């Protein structure tokens, strides 16, 4: 995987996993195009990366704002052409049970975690295809995109399941064109994601912010004791180099993932007669191959 001299566009690049991925890209000699909603953190990240010899440009970006995203994408494409590595990483951990979540909880979480990913794909992937340079797309989901946990994860988990589904279909679309796709599904990683409310729209009081103090402290402690973002970045790059699709950074979730799939398999009682013809046609048309 030759990356030196090529460009990487990374959302949520000022901290956490996004910044760790930026460091890894810099180590490969890539030009970094970092986007983040927090201007101060973005400036500090760029300064730190440049101090170690990284070539960095920054873009203040709220990925949920389509007009703003279009302006950033236009600037990137005009100045640098299509990125070789597109990292749709920006996300929030805004947790609320489905039974009590407000419409605002749903709107903000979906607009950042799902639409932000979709906008990145729509605004950059066509240019990546047209460039003929192949390249890679890495989407950050979560282990909760593969399983669910009881309690407050409904809204967040729904958004991350969507990112996994988007990534799976995109991988099938881009494989014949030589563009690699991987989906990152980490468990607990030591980042500041539990403080997502620092960028919350005014008046939003649910999610982690609305949790009882002891609940919030437990979440912070759990995340703070997670693996390092640098470890996640290293695993992500290994997966890209090896052409692997799923990047599971926490193998200890294997039993939960297998249990969920056994439940789904157990619910299948014979072939639904109404779908047999449709499925056969779909398989013939799509020639679906397993994702590694």
């Amino acid at each position: 995987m030759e990356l030196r001299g090529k460009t990487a566009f990374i959302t949520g690049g000022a901290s956490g996993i996004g910044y760790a991925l930026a460091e890894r890209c810099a180590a490969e000699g890539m030009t970094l195009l970092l986007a983040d909603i927090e201007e101060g953190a973005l400036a500090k990240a760029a300064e730190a990366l440049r101090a170690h010899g990284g070539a960095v440009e920054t873009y203040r970006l709220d990925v949920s704002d389509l007009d703003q995203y279009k302006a950033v994408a236009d600037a990137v494409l005009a100045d640098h052409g299509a990125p070789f590595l597109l990292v749709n990483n920006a996300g929030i951990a805004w947790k609320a049970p489905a039974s009590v979540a407000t419409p605002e909880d749903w709107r903000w979480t979906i607009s950042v975690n799902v639409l932000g990913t979709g906008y990145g794909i729509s605004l950059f992937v066509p240019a990546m295809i047209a460039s003929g340079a192949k390249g890679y797309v890495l989407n950050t989901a979560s282990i909760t995109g593969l399983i669910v946990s009881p309690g407050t994860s409904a809204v967040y988990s729904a958004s991350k399941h969507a990112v996994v589904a988007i990534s799976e279909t995109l991988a099938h679309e881009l494989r014949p064109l030589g563009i690699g796709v991987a989906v990152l599904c980490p468990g607990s990683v030591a980042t500041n994601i539990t403080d997502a409310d620092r960028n919350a729209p005014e008046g939003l009081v649910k999610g982690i912010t609305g949790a009882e103090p002891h609940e919030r402290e437990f979440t912070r402690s759990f995340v703070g004791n997670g693996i390092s973002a640098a470890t996640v970045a290293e695993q992500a790059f290994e997966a890209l180099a090896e052409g692997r699709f799923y990047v599971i950074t926490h193998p200890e979730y294997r039993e939960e993932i297998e249990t969920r799939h056994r439940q789904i398999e157990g619910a299948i009682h014979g072939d639904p007669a109404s779908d047999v013809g449709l499925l056969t046609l779909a398989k013939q048309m799509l020639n679906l191959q397993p994702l590694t």
Side-chain angles (χ1 to χ4, degrees):
M1 186 169 66
E2 180 53 51
L3 300 175
R4 183 165 297 279
K6 296 176 180 176
T7 56
F9 181 82
I10 306 172
T11 65
S15 63
I17 293 173
Y19 180 75
L21 289 166
E23 287 186 306
R24 190 65 175 74
C25 289
E28 294 286 342
M30 301 187 77
T31 296
L32 307 176
L33 311 176
L34 295 190
D36 202 282
I37 193 172
E38 296 186 80
E39 284 186 289
L42 191 58
K44 288 181 180 179
E47 182 180 2
L49 290 164
R50 288 174 184 140
H52 290 88
V56 188
E57 288 201 31
T58 61
Y59 305 85
R60 196 271 175 185
L61 174 63
D62 176 354
V63 296
S64 69
D65 186 327
L66 179 55
D67 290 337
Q68 191 179 118
Y69 210 147
K70 284 180 177 179
V72 168
D74 286 346
V76 167
L77 294 173
D79 294 341
H80 300 279
F84 186 76
L85 172 61
L86 170 64
V87 182
N88 295 302
N89 171 75
I92 56 169
W94 193 253
K95 298 190 177 183
S99 57
V100 299
T102 67
E104 289 73 23
D105 291 328
W106 287 103
R107 181 184 295 114
W108 190 44
T109 303
I110 298 302
S111 66
V112 175
N113 292 356
V114 182
L115 294 183
T117 298
Y119 293 159
I121 292 169
S122 295
L123 294 171
F124 285 114
V125 169
M128 293 173 69
I129 294 171
S131 75
K134 303 185 190 283
Y136 300 87
V137 178
L138 175 64
N139 297 327
T140 300
S142 165
I143 199 68
T144 56
L146 302 173
I147 58 175
V148 295
S149 58
T152 62
S153 72
V155 177
Y156 178 71
S157 184
S159 73
K160 293 304 186 179
H161 270 69
V163 173
V164 171
I166 292 166
S167 303
E168 289 177 341
T169 55
L170 185 68
H172 285 297
E173 291 175 32
L174 298 186
R175 174 186 286 170
L177 303 175
I179 298 176
V181 178
V183 63
L184 182 54
C185 299
S188 182
V189 182
T191 69
N192 61 358
I193 196 169
T194 55
D195 295 317
D197 53 288
R198 67 191 186 278
N199 296 313
E202 186 176 352
L204 199 62
V205 296
K206 292 289 185 183
I208 294 174
T209 299
E212 294 295 326
H214 71 278
E215 293 175 322
R216 181 162 184 159
E217 187 55 39
F218 172 80
T219 302
R220 279 179 166 162
S221 176
F222 182 77
V223 171
N225 288 319
I227 65 175
S228 71
T231 298
V232 174
E234 186 63 30
Q235 293 187 42
F237 265 72
E238 288 175 0
L240 290 173
E242 296 169 6
R244 288 187 284 115
F245 173 74
Y246 299 103
V247 188
I248 311 297
T249 62
H250 291 65
E252 58 267 34
Y253 284 97
R254 176 174 178 169
E255 184 177 347
E256 285 77 10
I257 294 171
E258 290 178 342
T259 297
R260 180 170 188 259
H261 284 274
R262 282 198 299 269
Q263 290 175 325
I264 295 171
E265 291 171 4
I268 300 174
H269 302 288
D271 294 326
S274 61
D275 287 347
V276 171
L278 180 61
L279 288 171
T280 300
L281 179 62
K283 289 177 181 177
Q284 291 174 344
M285 292 177 61
L286 300 177
N287 190 26
L288 296 180
Q289 298 294 324
L291 292 166
T292 56

